[in-house]
Structures are given as structure tokens and as C-alpha cells.
Amino acid sequence: MAQTPAVPAALLFFLISLVEGHAYNVVSVETGQEAVLRCPYASKISLLMVTWKMKCSTCCLFAYRSDLNETSRLNCSERTTWKYSPDTDPALRIHPVNLGDEGNYTCEVTSSEGNFLFSSSLTVIVPPTVTLTSDKSRVAVCQAAAGKPAAAISWIPASNHSTEEEVHHPSGTVTRVSYIGWVNSTLRSVTCLVTHPAANQTLSLDLPCPSSRLPYFLIGGCASVVAVSGVTLCLIFKCRGKSFDEPEMYCNSFSDYVQTKDFRSMPSLERTDVVEPPVLSESIYQNYNRRMTYI
């Protein structure tokens, strides 16, 4: 009779657990961290056996028998252990957790008072890999790769011209990419804000400014053209002006070049103001005889 009050106390404990929501736990853990799944248990009840099951045909089964004081596992990795002593607190520990551990788990407690079930849902969170780049057309690209759940991307300063796309991977992760253009803007930098349950990240990027550099390129190009044209015209007029006064000093090279070429369609560039008679060779008079003129 001394143990009779223990039975209503145990039943009351489990009823309170159901009302408070402890019969169904939702656990969210970041990948690589420790996941602990609770199993409410009244220490005043004599525990015979506790079994953890993952809801699938070939998934993990982790059990403890108090009479043998031993733990058995089936299809469970070494990452699955007890958080504490199973006869006092049969909480399940998974460390480090990965995406393959995600799912629904059931804790079944067998005691002298009966069997009791408790369920837990484990969600694994994967932080995305965030990058921010730009191309030559001044389009900024913010990418949150392989995140779970999908990350939210926003821009600072805000713009209504951004576009997004998503890629869903077989592992359950999602890659989200956001594009924003600043072609007609004078802003020198943009900031990408990535919001995710694992962590929020902010990246800033300096954008190239072709609009501010273009006038300098144009001015430099025009100055070069003007300089080259001016030097060319100067040399041409200088050569022509000096050709009448000092041809040998300034324009001999040009005249020699013209004389070496057979420009039949061009007039001769040599001076023709003085024409000297041809010099006859003395060979013409070698056979001349004055007597022959009277014959």
C-alpha cells in the first residue's frame, strides 16, 4: 500500500507532459552541432526499457535494457549516444548532426506501469555560402549557395529592379541568387544582406564607375588626335615653305624619294626656272673637215 500513491503521480506526470506539449518536441539544430532529443520520464517509475526509433524501415534503433544494464543499436552510427544515464534521463544525443539525421523520432518507455510514447521532430539547418561579385556591365550578383532553408536576400540601398532565381538540390538545400544592375546610377558601392536562421551576413562591394571615367578617356583621345594632326600639318607646311629657299637643307630627302619613284602621273618636283643648253660632246667634231663644205 505504501507504493500506491506512486502510480497516480506517474500518470499525472505523463498527463501534464502531454498537456504542456512535451510529448512532441520540435528541435532545430545547425549542421555540425549537437542535437539533443528529450524523452520525458518520471524517475519514480521503475524503468524496464527505453527505445529510440527513427521513423523509417531501415533507420536507427537505439535501446536500453535496465535489467541487463546494456545498450544495443541497429543501423545507428557512433554519433548516436545517450546524453545522460538512460535509467535516469533517456535523452538521445546526436553529434555532430548532419542532413541524414533529419526526420521524426519516437521514444518508447516501457515500465512497470505500461508503455508511453513521445515524438520529436529534428530539423537540420544548413548555413549558406554567401558571395558577392560584379561584372563589367555593372551588375551585382549576390549568391547564397546550398542553404537550408533558402536564405532571403535584400539590397542596400533598396531597389525594385532586382531579380532572383532558385536552384533546389537533391540534398534538400537551396541556392538563391539575386541580380541587381546599376548601369545608370552614380553609386560607388552596394551592400548585400543575407538573412538566414543560422546567421545573418552582410557583404559590401565597390562597383566600377565607367560613367565617371569615360570623359577622361574622350578628352585624352581627342587631345592625342589634335596633337598628331597639328604636328603633321606643321611639318607639311614647314617643308613646303622652306623648299623655295633652302631646298637642299629641308627637302632633299623628300625630293630624292620622289625621284626614285616612277610617278608618271605626277609633275616633276625639280626646279625648272633655269634651263641650260645641252653640252655637246667633242666627239661630234672629230670628223669635221672645212674643205668638205666647198665640194
Side-chain angles (χ1 to χ4, degrees):
M1 296 298 294
Q3 295 181 354
T4 303
V7 176
L11 296 177
L12 180 62
F13 171 80
F14 287 111
L15 289 176
I16 294 175
S17 299
L18 292 174
V19 173
E20 292 181 352
H22 296 289
Y24 188 84
N25 287 331
V26 178
V27 180
S28 296
V29 180
E30 184 178 338
T31 180
Q33 301 300 318
E34 177 188 77
V36 178
L37 305 180
R38 302 291 181 181
C39 182
Y41 167 66
S43 59
K44 294 182 180 181
I45 300 177
S46 57
L47 178 66
L48 300 178
M49 186 174 182
V50 57
T51 304
W52 277 99
K53 298 179 182 179
M54 189 175 180
K55 291 185 177 180
C56 69
S57 58
T58 59
C59 291
C60 172
L61 189 147
F62 196 66
Y64 168 77
R65 288 186 58 176
S66 61
D67 58 340
L68 299 178
N69 192 22
E70 66 178 13
T71 298
S72 60
R73 67 179 70 222
L74 178 64
N75 298 326
C76 298
S77 67
E78 296 298 328
R79 298 178 295 108
T80 304
T81 58
W82 300 108
K83 176 64 176 178
Y84 307 103
S85 176
D87 55 350
T88 58
D89 187 355
L92 186 67
R93 176 181 183 265
I94 305 175
H95 183 265
V97 70
N98 57 39
L99 281 174
D101 300 321
E102 188 175 66
N104 296 321
Y105 292 78
T106 300
C107 172
E108 181 178 357
V109 176
T110 302
S111 66
S112 58
E113 307 300 332
N115 296 340
F116 304 91
L117 297 176
F118 303 91
S119 298
S120 298
S121 177
L122 176 60
T123 300
V124 178
I125 299 174
V126 181
T129 302
V130 181
T131 57
L132 178 58
T133 58
S134 66
D135 54 20
K136 295 181 180 180
S137 58
R138 299 194 78 211
V139 175
V141 181
C142 185
Q143 176 176 277
K148 184 179 178 299
I153 300 177
S154 58
W155 294 94
I156 302 175
S159 175
N160 297 327
H161 302 287
S162 61
T163 59
E164 290 187 356
E165 63 180 13
E166 286 186 359
V167 178
H168 294 264
H169 305 287
S171 61
T173 59
V174 180
T175 295
R176 177 167 289 178
V177 186
S178 180
Y179 305 88
I180 189 169
W182 297 99
V183 177
N184 299 322
S185 175
T186 59
L187 293 177
R188 298 298 182 91
S189 64
V190 291
T191 300
C192 172
L193 176 61
V194 178
T195 305
H196 191 266
N200 297 332
Q201 301 185 48
T202 302
L203 297 179
S204 297
L205 178 69
D206 293 332
L207 294 176
C209 301
S211 59
S212 60
R213 297 179 182 178
L214 183 59
Y216 297 99
F217 289 128
L218 294 178
I219 293 174
C222 294
S224 300
V225 172
V226 171
V228 173
S229 302
V231 172
T232 304
L233 293 176
C234 180
L235 293 176
I236 292 174
F237 286 110
K238 184 176 181 181
C239 182
R240 288 184 178 181
K242 294 295 183 178
S243 62
F244 296 99
D245 299 330
E246 300 175 353
E248 294 180 358
M249 183 178 297
Y250 295 98
C251 300
N252 281 343
S253 60
F254 182 74
S255 300
D256 295 340
Y257 175 78
V258 173
Q259 291 175 4
T260 57
K261 301 296 180 178
D262 188 12
F263 294 126
R264 300 182 183 276
S265 60
M266 296 179 58
S268 176
L269 297 179
E270 297 181 357
R271 296 179 61 180
T272 57
D273 51 348
V274 178
V275 179
E276 296 181 357
V279 179
L280 299 177
S281 176
E282 293 181 357
S283 61
I284 300 177
Y285 302 96
Q286 289 179 0
N287 299 326
Y288 175 72
N289 191 351
R290 295 180 63 181
R291 295 179 182 182
M292 295 180 62
T293 59
Y294 300 99
I295 297 174

